[in-house]
Amino acid sequence: MVKVSGLADLALRCCFVAVGALLVTLFSAVVVFAESASYEISEIEIQGNRRIDTAAIKLNLKAVPGRVDAALINEDIKTLYKTGYFDQVNAALVNKNGKYCLRYSFVEKPVARK
């Protein structure tokens, strides 16, 4: 057994926490809904976009207010990733005054500057 000093032990623990947080972030990038489920939604909300216009994002969506199923939501997520503008795309059902809203949230890729 190797004995490490208190400072090295702290650094090692911080490293494990950072790696764990990174893995959680990577695996939670896409919300996967139950494939057989369908949802009644009253609105679609876009959140987290800074450079990409909300209307441009909505043009890429097949989901519209009304009845949507999980396969359609997952297809929209994949389509939005394929645009190349986002590092993360998430979808969530949010209860707003007794009605469900489908919220897409984003982390945009950074802009490369010369």
Side-chain angles (χ1 to χ4, degrees), residues 15-29 88:
C15 183
F16 281 122
V17 169
V19 169
L22 177 64
L23 288 174
V24 167
T25 301
L26 289 175
F27 288 113
S28 66
Q88 288 184 17

Side-chain angles (χ1 to χ4, degrees), residues 39-44 63-68 93 100-102:
Y39 310 93
E40 184 69 34
I41 59 170
S42 61
E43 68 177 297
I44 294 179
V64 294
R67 179 120 349 256
V68 298
L93 289 173
Y100 284 105
C101 166
L102 177 57

Side-chain angles (χ1 to χ4, degrees), residues 73-95:
I73 296 169
N74 286 326
E75 186 178 329
D76 280 347
I77 290 170
K78 290 175 187 175
T79 298
L80 291 166
Y81 266 118
K82 287 179 186 176
T83 64
Y85 296 125
F86 306 108
D87 277 335
Q88 288 184 17
V89 179
N90 298 300
L93 289 173
V94 180
N95 190 338

